[in-house]
Structure formats: structure tokens, C-alpha cells
């Protein structure tokens, strides 16, 4: 609910209160016309007294700070909490908006002019002037209209309130009413000044196959910047940022979360000002950005979403999860659980033909897989990554019956069919490049710096966009294709488009071009499930999720690495958008051996797929996979839209190992799935204590695990403690016995109160500790993990 209070109607000094279910965001118009930020946090009853009590305007200015004007000599912009910031009028903190005016000057002074309130704000999720995505189905929208005190430049601050998820979005429109052009050097979507006491900034950084490492830095007078310059939102610095108090943890304390609905270069910065305030800004990266708008033109920034949570980071993450599920992911797949898929990439890379794919598909069908995905390698002469991107014609040597022939056969097996594409790219060794070298982003006459042997197509050119849309329309109409993995495998270099006069507009115009083609394609094929990908997580953001309902989170499929990566994503992204696959052991990225159990358990906390050559698996592995897929299907609705909590976030335990623990609880609290995983086994570790959260204290639950068997081989030469004859480890005999004799795994099976699971926790079976083993002991090696199932038990009244 948005409330507007009038302090003094003659002076137009209004106060705006933006309330969500649990939060209040407040700002007021000062007599000078500046917008002073009052508060953002847990819900407060303000009233005019509250405004007076929180305004905090100094009577006298400190030392050598600047006084805004002779009329308002006590207003110093350096130490005011502001809703919008520029340069040149005394505010020397991180600016939000920087323009070059007609006269070449860079000072701007935006003063309150008017507002507009839109109840029941409805949006189809895209901006009118561009294809820029925005969150849809907001409750109310407030537009604050400002005008430069000296110039004909208008600024609109757009706030949309999403009450149910405690989220508010913000963006900015710059409107040029000057006689001629102005240049926008910086146009950030949000400026927020908060109390700086004990504030720290969490960022999510990484690299290829190492996405979403969690960092925490204290906010001081030195700037902390989280930005990307890859041309994408990047795996180096994901745009998600959290500001928290020192003492805030997953379960306690206050935190603010921010993310941007944008897939290009982003920027955010936090800095304390030395007067107890910390400024946070977020938007398009101003680096290599300079955008001209002519008379009467408008520049719109991407939308930033912010949330506040009073009860810890799990509370904050859940706000974002709900926001993504209710206001970002749209169309057919928004509320629909995703099919279990088999992807051919790690199973065969470029080496496949129709027979091989069909063999795999048959096996996959028997396992319960629902969708078969043919990854890279099906078009042009694509036997490796040096050629053919751009030539989206099927390779008839590999697939003599074309896409349709293969798709039909896959469908006959009872599976849906999907493909991989990388539309934004071109290899120099391709027909497309030979015909249209000027369609690539590159500087004429200058050596190009290549990435994965490929160049980026210039999506700022309408001709290129139309061509791509037509090709993809043809492709998707040519066969029964129900899924598309849309990849993007290099970062930008040598920014230059032959069509542009102002090259510093390219990075942003590219993103707008990308959104244009994505929108045209996904709207034409609403039932196709699109999955975003950029070498894994190099473009994992809310912009892509506004078009494509899930993203391949990382090219790293190692179970332990994925537990860490998926924990990182969980701070800002719901499990429903994270694609996760079971792959081979040893793993292709780390060469680490992990049990199939662990590989499944981690992938089960995402949108599940397999990425493994099923012909290489033995009968036991196949049987286990079958059971795993069946159990996933039983619980996938819980993973898809349940409430997710981090119970342990990988920090070192008192035993010196690291543990990740998660739980997803169905909305009605009748079912839950819990997960635990350790990196290394610790000798003589007592039985682990598992305490969960989110269950109904007043319900009773059946708590159980998946029954499991372990090969005696894993116990090495300990076999000789029970064998009547000596068995040499790794000998043929050892292997044969290993095959025949399986050890029972522990069985967890109990009915307990929700209050016990939530508030006390339970002791799991004792780990193997070197002194004895039977079915009551947990076989729990390095990188071992467990899934637990929790189901409500309803007492029978006759009992
Ligand atoms: C990228 C993707 C992989 C795979 C390959 C194919 O690396 O992230 O999943 O699709 O491209 O070339």
C-alpha cells in the first residue's frame, strides 16, 4: 500500500510511504525540493510525527561542506540521505545520474515537481519503448516526477510495490526537453542511503565452472564495487548484492537484497560517507557507456528489485524466490514443473550420430526421463568448436533424417525432443560469416581478440535480428521441438558496430537487441521450454529469466562443487530456475570420484537432468538412477515451489570439515525434502545432529531416507577382517565379491513431531568410525551426502 502524507500543501512537501506486507520504504520532499530518504526496513507506522522525527535536517552545515543555495543554506547534499543523486551541487558521493548538458557542463539538480500513483499496476512484463523486461503484476506504482532546476531535463523515479513478496522495484526515466541532445554518462536505476552502522556487503563472484562464491566485505568510506564488464551479467560478479548488518546470519538479523533485471554490464557500489550514512547505487555499468538522447527522447534504465528481511538471510532469499516465481518467470512454464531431461553434452560431446542418440534415448526412457536434449554438434560441420556457428542447417552426415526425422523417432519412444543453439554467435569459419563479415562485432582493420574461436553478432542491427528470428522460427517449426538450450559462450571484446555512430552505446544497445529477439521467439513458441546458458552461469540473471524460465547454472557438474555453487545461487535465485544434472564419475571438470547418491542428491535440488553416457553404466547404477528419478518426480513440486532454507552454508564445522544442508518445505508444510553433504569424512565423528526449520510445529512427520546398498569394495582390505580367506585388494576376487556382496546402508525411519525436528533436531545414525560396521552405521565417505524425506502423518481418529 502506498500512502501519501502532506506536510505542508502550500509548499508541496509530501511524504511517500511504500508499504509491503512486512516492510516500509519512506521518503519525503524537502522545502528545497530535494527528495530525502527517511527509512527502509521493517514495517513502521509513520504519520507526520514520524516524518518529523526521522528527517534529520541539520540546522548548520559542518566545516567545509557545501551549502546547496543561499535560500536553503542549511541544506548540504553531502550528508543528506537522498532518493536521487547527481554531481555538482555538493553531493560528492557515488552519483546515480551524470549527464553532459548542452553547454558541456555536468551539474544537474533534480527538484520535485509532481507524482502519479497507479493502483493495481498491470504490466505485460515489458517496457513500451523497448523490449526491456520488467517485473509483472505489481500492486501499485508510484512515479515521482522531477525537473532540473535550471534546465529542461526531467527525471522520473518509478517505484513498483509487490506486497506479497516484500519487494519494491525501482527504475528511472530521463526525458530530454532541451532543444538539442544531451549525453548520458551514467544512468543508474537506484540510489539508496542507509545507516552505515555495522553494514557489510555480500557479493557473489567467480569464474567459469566456479560460479557464485559468497563474499562479505565491511562497508567503509572506501568504495566497494561489484560490476561486470564481460558484456553479460557475468559469472565474475553476479549482479545479486546483499547489504546486511554484521550480526545477520541465515536465521537472524536484518538484510537488504538487490538485483537488477538486466543481462549486460552492471554496476553496484556501496560506500559510507563518514556521517553515519552508506550509499548504495545499482544500474548499468557506466564504464564504456555514453548514451545520447535527442530532443524529446527518453532513456529508461533497467529495473532494480530490492527487498528487506528482518529475520535473516533465509527470509531475504525466500522473498527473492517468491518474487522470481510470481513476478519474473512468465508464460506457460511459470507454474509448471519441468521435465526430467537427458542432455547429450557430457555424454558424447561432438561425437554422435542418430543411432547413438536413439540408443541413449531408449535407455533414458526406461529410466523415466521425459525429455531428450541434443546439445552442440548437430549443425554445419560442427565436429569441434572451431566452426559452423551461424550455419543452423542440420548435419546430414550425423543426422541423415534431419531434425524432424530424429525428433519423430524420439517422440515415438515416448520422449519430448529438445536442441541446443547459440544464436548470438558466428565462427569465422562459417557460411554466415563468409557472407556477412560486417554482421560481427569487430573493429574493421584491427586484429580481433577471439573467444572460443567465435565472434558475437551485432544485435544492434535490425537486419541481423530479423535474420536470426527467421532462422530460429524455421528451425523450431521444422520439427517437434519442445525445449531449447540457448547458449552464449564468449565475452565481449573489440566493441564496434558498423551501424553505430556512437560506439559507447553498443553494450547497452546489444542487450536491448537481445531482448528483442528473445521476446519475439519465446512469444511465438510459448510452449517451448527455453533454458538460458552462457558457458554455465555467465548470464544468470533476472533479465534472462524474464524470457527463459530456467538457466544452466554451471558447466561444473561435480557434486561437491555444485553444492557450493547452488548454495551461492540460493541467496537470490529459486531452485525452480537452477538447472542441475547428474554426470559421470570421475567428474569431467574435477576428475573427482563421488557416489551416484551424492550426484543425484545435489542435482535433485534443482531442475533435474542427466548428462552421462547411459551405455557406460552398470546394472546397479541404472537401477539406482531409476529409483532416483522416480523419487525426484514424487517431490519435484516441493523443489519447484517449496520454501527453501539453507541450514548449513558450507562453513567449517567444529570437526574441521565443511557441510552444506538445505531443506525445501511444501507451502502447506505437509512434505519436505532435506539434504546434507560433507566434504571430508572425519574419524571418530559422533552421530550428526540434523535440525531443520520451516515445518509445522503442530504436525507429526514421517522422517525417512532412501534405502541404500554399498559395495564391500569400498572398505578396501578391511574385507579380510570378515573373510575366511585372504583377499588381495583390487584383485579379480575382490572385484567379484564386491559385485556379489553389498552392504546394507543405514535406515532412518521415524515419526516425530514437527516441533522436535524444528526446535531440537534428531540424531542421525552413527558414522563409520573405524570400530565396527553393520546396517545401523552410516557409510559416510568424503563427499558423501543424504536426502531425507519428511511427510506429514495424519493421526487416524480411531487409533
Ligand atoms: C557451453 C555450455 C555447455 C555445452 C557447450 C557446448 O560450454 O555451457 O553446457 O552446451 O557449450 O558447446
Amino acid at each position: 500500500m502506498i500512502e501519501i502524507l502532506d506536510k505542508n500543501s502550500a509548499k508541496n512537501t509530501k511524504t511517500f510511504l511504500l508499504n509491503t506486507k512486512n516492510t516500509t520504504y519512506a521518503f519525503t520532499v524537502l522545502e528545497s525540493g530535494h527528495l530525502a530518504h527517511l527509512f527502509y526496513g521493517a514495517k513502521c507506522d509513520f504519520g507526520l510525527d514520524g516524518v518529523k522525527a526521522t528527517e534529520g535536517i541539520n540546522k548548520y552545515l559542518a566545516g567545509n561542506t557545501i551549502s546547496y543555495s543561499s535560500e536553503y543554506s542549511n541544506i548540504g547534499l553531502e550528508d543528506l540521505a537522498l532518493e536521487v543523486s547527481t554531481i555538482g551541487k555538493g553531493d560528492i558521493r557515488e552519483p546515480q545520474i551524470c549527464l553532459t548538458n548542452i553547454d558541456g557542463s555536468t551539474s544537474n539538480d533534480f527538484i520535485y515537481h509532481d507524482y502519479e500513483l497507479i493502483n493495481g499496476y498491470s504490466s505485460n512484463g515489458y517496457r513500451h519503448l523497448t523490449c526491456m523486461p520488467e517485473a509483472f503484476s505489481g500492486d501499485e506504482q508510484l512515479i515521482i516526477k522531477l525537473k532540473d532546476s535550471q534546465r529542461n531535463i526531467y527525471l522520473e523515479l518509478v517505484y513498483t510495490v509487490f506486497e506479497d513478496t516484500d519487494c519494491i522495484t525501482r527504475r528511472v526515466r530521463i526525458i530530454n526537453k532541451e532543444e538539442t541532445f544531451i549525453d548520458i554518462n551514467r544512468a543508474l536505476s537506484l540510489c539508496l542511503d542507509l545507516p552505515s552502522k555495522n553494514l557489510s556487503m555480500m557479493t557473489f563472484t567467480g569464474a567459469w565452472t566456479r560460479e557464485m562464491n559468497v563474499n562479505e566485505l565491511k562497508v567503509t568510506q572506501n568504495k566497494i564495487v561489484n560490476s561486470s564488464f564481460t558484456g553479460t551479467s557475468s559469472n565474475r560478479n553476479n549482479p545479486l548484492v546483499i547489504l546486511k548488518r554484521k550480526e545477520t546470519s541465515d536465521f537472524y538479523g536484518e538484510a537488504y537484497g538487490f538485483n537488477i533485471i538486466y543481462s549486460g554490464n552492471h554496476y553496484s557500489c556501496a560506500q559510507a560517507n563518514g556521517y553515519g550514512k552508506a550509499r548504495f547505487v545499482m544500474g548499468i555499468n557506466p564504464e564504456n557507456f555514453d548514451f545520447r538522447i535527442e530532443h524529446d527522447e527518453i532513456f529508461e534504465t533497467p529495473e532494480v528489485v530490492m527487498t528487506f528481511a528482518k529475520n535473516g538471510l533465509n527470509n531475504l532469499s525466500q522473498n527473492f524466490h517468491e518474487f522470481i516465481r510470481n513476478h519474473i518467470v512468465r508464460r506457460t512454464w511459470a507454474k509448471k514443473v519441468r521435465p526430467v531431461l537427458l542432455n547429450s553434452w557430457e555424454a558424447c560431446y561432438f561425437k554422435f550420430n542418430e543411432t547413438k542418440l536413439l540408443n541413449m534415448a531408449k535407455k533414458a526412457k526406461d529410466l523415466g526421463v521425459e525429455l531428450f536434449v541434443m546439445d552442440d554438434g548437430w549443425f554445419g560441420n560442427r565436429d569441434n568448436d572451431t566452426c559452423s556457428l551461424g550455419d543452423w542447417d542440420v548435419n546430414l552426415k550425423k543426422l541423415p533424417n534431419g531434425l524432424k526425422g530424429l525428433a519423430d523417432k524420439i517422440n515415438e519412444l515416448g520422449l519430448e525432443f529438445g536442441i541446443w543453439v547459440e544464436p548470438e554467435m558466428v565462427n569465422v569459419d562459417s557460411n554466415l560469416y563468409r557472407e556477412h563479415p560486417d554482421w560481427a562485432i569487430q573493429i574493421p582493420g584491427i586484429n580481433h581478440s577471439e573467444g572460443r574461436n567465435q565472434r558475437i553478432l551485432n544485435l544492434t542491427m535490425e537486419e541481423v535480428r530479423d535474420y536470426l528470428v527467421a532462422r530460429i522460427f524455421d528451425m523450431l517449426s521444422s520439427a517437434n521441438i519442445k525445449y531449447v538450450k540457448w547458449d552464449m559462450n564468449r565475452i565481449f571484446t573489440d566493441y564496434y558496430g558498423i551501424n553505430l555512430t556512437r560506439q559507447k552505446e553498443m553494450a547497452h544497445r546489444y542487450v536491448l537487441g537481445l531482448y528483442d529477439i528473445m521476446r519475439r521467439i519465446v512469444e511465438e513458441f510459448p510452449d517451448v521450454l527455453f533454458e538460458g546458458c552462457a558457458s554455465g552461469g555467465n548470464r544468470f540473471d533476472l533479465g534472462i529469466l524474464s524470457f527463459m524460465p530456467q538457466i544452466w547454472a554451471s558447466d561444473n557438474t561435480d557434486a561437491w562443487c555444485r553444492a557450493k555453487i547452488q548454495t551461492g545461487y540460493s541467496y537470490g535465485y529459486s531452485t525452480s530456475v537452477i538447472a542441475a544434472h547428474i554426470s559421470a564419475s570421475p567428474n569431467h571438470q574435477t576428475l573427482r570420484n563421488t557416489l551416484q547418491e551424492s550426484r543425484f542428491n545435489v542435482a535433485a535440488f534443482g531442475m533435474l537432468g542427466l548428462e552421462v553416457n547411459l551405455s557406460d553404466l552398470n546394472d546397479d547404477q541404472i537401477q539406482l538412477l531409476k529409483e532416483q528419478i522416480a523419487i525426484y518426480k514424487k517431490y519435484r513440486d516441493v523443489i519447484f515451489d517449496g520454501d527453501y532454507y539453507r541450514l548449513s552454508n558450507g562453513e567449517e564445522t567444529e570437526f574441521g570439515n565443511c557441510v552444506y544442508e538445505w531443506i525445501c518445505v511444501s507451502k502447506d508444510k505437509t512434505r519436505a525434502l532435506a539434504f546434507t553433504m560433507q566434504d571430508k569424512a572425519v574419524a571418530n565423528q559422533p552421530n550428526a545432529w540434523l535440525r531443520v526449520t520451516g515445518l509445522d510445529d503442530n504436525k507429526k512427520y514421517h522422517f525417512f531416507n532412501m534405502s541404500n546398498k554399498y559395495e564391500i569394495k569400498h572398505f578396501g582390505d578391511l574385507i579380510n577382517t570378515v573373510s575366511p580367506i585372504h583377499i588381495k585388494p583390487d584383485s579379480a576376487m575382490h572385484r567379484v565379491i564386491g559385485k556379489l556382496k553389498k552392504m546394507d546402508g543405514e535406515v532412518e525411519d521415524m515419526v516425530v513431531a514437527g516441533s522436535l525436528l524444528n526446535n531440537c533436531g534428531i540424531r542421525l545414525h552413527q558414522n563409520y568410525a573405524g570400530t565396527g560396521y553393520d546396517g545401523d552405521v552410516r557409510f559416510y565417505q568424503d563427499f558423501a551426502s543424504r536426502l531425507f524425506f519428511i511427510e506429514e502423518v495424519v493421526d487416524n481418529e480411531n487409533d
Side-chain angles (χ1 to χ4, degrees):
M1 242 265 292
I2 297 178
E3 270 177 82
I4 301 169
L5 310 178
D6 240 325
K7 273 182 295 184
N8 180 338
S9 46
K11 293 200 164 146
N12 211 6
T13 47
K14 296 196 173 351
T15 296
F16 299 90
L17 302 171
L18 284 60
N19 295 305
T20 66
K21 203 164 60 186
N22 301 298
T23 72
T24 296
Y25 185 100
F27 59 93
T28 192
V29 183
L30 301 180
E31 285 187 15
S32 62
H34 294 101
L35 290 182
H37 177 79
L38 299 179
F39 173 70
Y40 185 30
K43 205 159 192 165
C44 285
D45 194 359
F46 254 79
L48 284 175
D49 292 341
V51 176
K52 215 166 152 209
T54 53
E55 232 173 29
I57 306 292
N58 292 327
K59 193 138 185 234
Y60 303 101
L61 284 186
N64 66 347
T65 56
I66 296 291
S67 147
Y68 167 63
S69 68
S70 49
E71 192 183 353
Y72 298 105
S73 57
N74 65 326
I75 297 281
L77 299 185
E78 182 177 345
D79 183 30
L80 263 184
L82 293 170
E83 283 297 298
V84 63
S85 61
T86 56
I87 53 177
K89 303 305 286 179
D91 186 356
I92 48 169
R93 295 166 289 180
E94 188 73 10
Q96 180 186 8
I97 308 290
C98 295
L99 309 176
T100 303
N101 299 304
I102 303 181
D103 54 11
S105 69
T106 52
S107 289
N108 289 97
D109 179 28
F110 290 107
I111 295 300
Y112 178 76
H113 173 59
D114 201 0
Y115 77 93
E116 186 185 338
L117 183 63
I118 305 169
N119 285 315
Y121 171 72
S122 82
S123 152
N124 67 352
Y126 301 98
R127 226 60 67 68
H128 300 299
L129 297 179
T130 62
C131 281
M132 200 132 54
E134 62 181 22
F136 61 92
S137 294
D139 294 302
E140 279 174 299
Q141 187 168 81
L142 175 68
I143 303 171
I144 300 289
K145 302 181 178 189
L146 307 162
K147 182 181 178 298
D148 189 299
S149 60
Q150 310 297 315
R151 303 171 194 282
N152 286 319
I153 304 174
Y154 292 80
L155 195 67
E156 292 185 352
L157 310 182
V158 184
Y159 301 78
T160 310
V161 174
F162 297 80
E163 289 195 23
D164 55 343
T165 56
D166 284 331
C167 286
I168 297 173
T169 61
R170 286 183 59 178
R171 58 189 163 89
V172 168
R173 265 200 293 262
I174 301 169
I175 304 159
N176 180 15
K177 293 282 180 191
E178 295 279 71
E179 275 160 22
T180 176
F181 63 81
I182 54 171
D183 288 336
I184 302 172
N185 312 119
R186 171 186 279 238
L188 304 183
S189 309
L190 162 144
C191 165
L192 179 63
D193 290 335
L194 297 166
S196 60
K197 191 174 170 198
N198 281 336
L199 196 66
S200 62
M201 174 161 161
M202 287 175 79
T203 60
F204 300 84
T205 59
W208 177 66
T209 62
R210 281 191 279 109
E211 293 86 350
M212 298 302 278
N213 297 302
V214 184
N215 314 284
E216 188 173 331
L217 293 152
K218 187 172 162 39
V219 175
T220 65
Q221 280 186 252
N222 303 309
K223 290 180 183 175
I224 309 174
V225 169
N226 183 62
S227 68
S228 80
F229 200 57
T230 52
T232 59
S233 46
S234 101
N235 48 23
R236 281 46 166 198
N237 296 73
N238 190 275
L240 174 69
V241 169
I242 294 171
L243 295 178
K244 65 186 272 290
R245 302 291 164 200
K246 193 166 95 192
E247 65 279 6
T248 302
S249 68
D250 275 335
F251 291 96
Y252 306 98
E254 300 192 339
Y256 302 87
F258 305 89
N259 207 339
I260 186 165
I261 307 176
Y262 192 60
S263 307
N265 293 330
H266 62 83
Y267 177 88
S268 50
C269 175
Q271 184 187 25
N273 74 344
Y275 298 101
K277 297 183 185 71
R279 167 156 302 169
F280 180 71
V281 293
M282 187 180 232
I284 298 175
N285 194 342
E287 186 75 41
N288 198 34
F289 170 91
D290 192 14
F291 211 96
R292 176 162 294 179
I293 53 172
E294 302 288 341
H295 165 74
D296 241 3
E297 278 187 345
I298 298 176
F299 182 87
E300 296 199 62
T301 71
E303 192 163 52
V304 160
V305 50
M306 53 185 192
T307 188
F308 169 83
K310 193 180 171 180
N311 299 315
L313 297 172
N314 276 318
N315 176 193
L316 178 118
S317 299
Q318 286 176 3
N319 291 349
F320 275 142
H321 298 171
E322 284 301 285
F323 182 78
I324 288 174
R325 286 190 286 239
N326 296 337
H327 305 292
I328 292 290
V329 175
R330 50 205 76 180
R331 283 177 294 275
T332 312
W333 288 95
K335 301 278 173 207
K336 200 167 154 184
V337 292
R338 312 290 156 71
V340 176
L341 62 83
L342 175 94
N343 177 297
S344 65
W345 182 241
E346 286 194 22
C348 39
Y349 296 101
F350 295 102
K351 276 168 87 178
F352 60 79
N353 55 32
E354 190 184 272
T355 316
K356 189 168 173 184
L357 295 183
L358 286 172
N359 278 336
M360 263 198 313
K362 263 187 221 121
K363 292 201 163 70
K365 173 67 191 169
D366 291 343
L367 289 176
V369 166
E370 297 156 310
L371 164 72
F372 181 86
V373 178
M374 176 173 62
D375 208 279
D376 196 357
W378 60 266
F379 50 91
N381 300 317
R382 187 87 170 160
D383 291 326
N384 53 52
D385 65 12
T386 60
C387 69
S388 300
L389 287 175
D391 298 344
W392 299 108
D393 301 307
V394 71
N395 179 326
L396 290 171
K397 271 192 246 143
K398 289 183 184 173
L399 307 175
N401 302 304
L403 281 181
K404 178 159 170 43
L406 176 64
D408 288 348
K409 287 183 189 150
I410 298 271
N411 289 165
E412 276 160 30
L413 291 172
L415 291 167
E416 297 291 4
F417 175 65
I419 53 168
W420 176 97
V421 287
E422 197 178 355
E424 298 158 70
M425 296 291 157
V426 65
N427 286 115
V428 169
D429 182 3
S430 68
N431 295 333
L432 183 67
Y433 188 84
R434 281 182 281 273
E435 275 165 40
H436 298 287
D438 51 342
W439 282 9
I441 294 178
Q442 55 194 347
I443 310 170
I446 300 290
N447 277 347
H448 188 76
S449 297
E450 219 79 281
R452 211 194 185 197
N453 313 301
Q454 62 198 52
R455 299 188 185 181
I456 305 175
L457 288 169
N458 180 356
L459 299 191
T460 71
M461 291 166 77
E462 203 174 348
E463 200 186 352
V464 176
R465 298 200 298 272
D466 290 348
Y467 170 83
L468 285 177
V469 169
R471 289 308 314 259
I472 291 176
F473 275 22
D474 286 350
M475 190 192 303
L476 296 184
S477 313
S478 72
N480 188 19
I481 295 169
K482 282 288 163 57
Y483 161 105
V484 171
K485 177 173 168 191
W486 182 304
D487 212 339
M488 197 286 188
N489 281 317
R490 64 156 291 176
I491 64 173
F492 285 66
T493 59
D494 303 294
Y495 279 103
Y496 193 90
I498 52 149
N499 56 322
L500 298 177
T501 43
R502 297 177 54 77
Q503 299 300 337
K504 286 190 173 182
E505 295 184 0
M506 164 150 265
H508 179 58
R509 286 192 184 279
Y510 180 91
V511 181
L512 297 181
L514 173 69
Y515 289 156
D516 172 46
I517 61 172
M518 281 189 169
R519 178 176 178 178
R520 283 151 74 185
I521 292 165
V522 299
E523 286 189 347
E524 182 70 17
F525 298 94
D527 295 334
V528 171
L529 171 60
F530 286 86
E531 176 168 318
C533 175
S535 305
N538 198 37
R539 203 166 58 185
F540 199 113
D541 60 65
L542 302 180
I544 295 299
L545 290 173
S546 302
F547 299 89
M548 309 197 165
Q550 61 188 47
I551 302 179
W552 180 229
S554 176
D555 273 356
N556 190 340
T557 56
D558 175 279
W560 176 251
C561 297
R562 266 300 185 118
K564 180 171 187 206
I565 292 167
Q566 290 174 210
T567 298
Y569 279 116
S570 76
Y571 283 89
Y573 302 94
S574 53
T575 38
S576 60
V577 301
I578 297 172
H581 296 174
I582 304 171
S583 62
S585 178
N587 174 268
H588 292 193
Q589 292 78 42
T590 59
L591 299 179
R592 192 189 340 265
N593 283 301
T594 53
L595 293 174
Q596 185 177 325
E597 198 184 5
S598 293
R599 282 174 277 144
F600 166 70
N601 294 348
V602 176
F605 267 74
M607 300 300 98
L608 182 72
L610 315 182
E611 196 159 329
V612 62
N613 191 341
L614 300 178
S615 310
D616 292 344
L617 303 187
N618 65 33
D619 294 348
D620 290 344
Q621 291 165 330
I622 290 282
Q623 184 50 35
L624 180 57
L625 254 187
K626 221 178 191 164
E627 288 166 24
Q628 290 173 326
I629 290 172
I631 204 93
Y632 178 78
K633 286 182 179 168
K634 213 171 147 211
Y635 284 89
R636 67 176 147 189
D637 58 318
V638 179
I639 293 293
F640 187 72
D641 76 350
D643 292 331
Y644 168 100
Y645 300 82
R646 287 171 299 277
L647 303 172
S648 301
N649 60 11
E651 276 169 19
E652 196 173 291
T653 68
E654 65 272 45
F655 304 108
N657 60 355
C658 295
V659 172
Y660 289 103
E661 289 178 319
W662 313 318
I663 188 169
C664 246
V665 184
S666 68
K667 288 268 173 318
D668 62 3
K669 297 185 189 287
T670 58
R671 289 182 304 147
L673 198 62
F675 162 88
T676 180
M677 184 175 197
Q678 68 176 7
D679 61 344
K680 40 186 199 239
V682 175
N684 189 17
Q685 198 185 354
N687 29 16
W689 194 298
L690 181 78
R691 179 174 166 192
V692 304
T693 192
L695 299 175
D696 185 337
D697 276 349
N698 300 316
K699 285 192 197 307
K700 253 195 201 158
Y701 293 96
H702 179 200
F703 177 98
F704 58 103
N705 64 345
M706 236 171 125
S707 67
N708 227 330
K709 299 261 183 214
Y710 297 99
E711 293 185 17
I712 201 163
K713 243 176 26 192
H714 292 306
F715 290 80
D717 70 352
L718 280 173
I719 193 170
N720 287 313
T721 60
V722 289
S723 168
I725 52 160
H726 187 81
I727 296 166
K728 197 165 170 214
D730 270 341
S731 61
M733 166 119 69
H734 195 194
R735 284 197 292 274
V736 171
I737 295 177
K739 257 198 153 327
L740 299 177
K741 174 77 190 148
K742 299 279 175 343
M743 310 283 283
D744 286 329
E746 86 286 3
V747 176
E748 308 284 1
D749 190 3
M750 60 190 91
V751 173
V752 280
S755 56
L756 186 101
L757 286 161
N758 279 339
N759 305 331
C760 168
I762 51 165
R763 287 287 196 185
L764 299 172
H765 278 76
Q766 176 188 2
N767 287 348
Y768 172 75
T771 50
Y773 183 87
D774 61 22
D776 282 337
V777 170
R778 229 170 34 144
F779 174 74
Y780 213 57
Q781 289 175 301
D782 289 355
F783 309 110
S785 81
R786 290 290 184 273
L787 271 193
F788 302 108
F789 309 97
I790 304 171
E791 288 186 357
E792 184 188 2
V793 178
V794 182
D795 281 337
N796 189 332
E797 278 173 26
N798 301 326
D799 286 350

